[in-house]
Amino acid sequence: FRTGLALLGVYRIPSRARNAAARGKIEAYHRLLEAWFVKELQHQEVVDFEHLEELLQATIELLYQNHYHSGIKARPVEKLNNQLSKRQANMPDLLNSFWVQKRLKTHPKSGEVNIAGVLFRVSKTYAGQRLLFRYDPADPKRVILNGKNQKAIPLIPALDSAPPAPKPKVEKRGTGALQRLLDRWRGRELPQAQAGFGLPEVFEHLSKILRRRVPNTESEAILIQDFYRNKGPFAQAAFSGALRQALKALGPGRPLGVLLDYVAKLSQTPKPKKEETL
């Protein structure tokens, strides 16, 4: 962390807790992130860590960066205006600066050393010595030994097999409100419907929850179609959970329109509180 900051020319300012003047707007930023991202993440389908990172970047770019900042009297994206720092770093050096360093002792006979759960073998000239190793936290199989005269020696796993064929890059997508932001960030709008869960399945779920035929009249069919057009599409588990929560809160015998209005409120994206406005 310190190496990466030094490479970028960034320095840290120690400050006491709740010292807003020294900390800038970081606490307000965290509150906004809590309201816009963390809470909504509970209802978002996440494929993997890479997909989660993309959702976060899209949320920051489209919501936080375009939100009016009362301190600077502008939106952050307007204030930054694509400005670049005078201190530039190339991507390989930046990534290498965040590698983990460990000083470990190699096996006295075989020269093997275990790094982040992966077994490596070094030259016998280094066997039984305590040496400095560096590895990529994102890929523990990328290890470098700091040898004599600070020479960087890349290591190969002792039991490594043939590298697997590269998988074709597939765009990560999952149903949810955050995915809508990510699609906008990518420059397009795509449907969020879960496969096999459309309007007929909405009718079926309503029938099961209400324990009667839905739609029972033409007006009910129009009401549900308008609800699905304005608020849908939905993920199956999220829609069923919202229906049960609405029925539990409102009680049995409520009109269908009242039930759907309550479900619509549950699906709304939380807005930041007034004191959280930057």
Side-chain angles (χ1 to χ4, degrees), residues 42-58:
Q42 302 172 13
H43 313 288
Q44 171 67 42
E45 180 186 359
V46 181
V47 179
D48 54 17
F49 183 79
E50 182 180 351
H51 184 220
L52 176 64
E53 174 68 20
E54 288 184 333
L55 292 172
L56 175 61
Q57 293 296 333

Side-chain angles (χ1 to χ4, degrees), residues 144-180:
I144 290 178
L145 163 65
N146 283 10
K148 297 178 180 178
N149 300 323
Q150 299 297 317
K151 182 180 179 181
I153 305 174
L155 301 181
I156 300 176
L159 305 176
D160 196 15
S161 56
K167 296 181 180 180
K169 188 175 179 66
V170 180
E171 194 173 80
K172 311 293 176 60
R173 301 193 76 253
T175 54
L178 293 177
Q179 183 64 49
R180 290 189 180 95

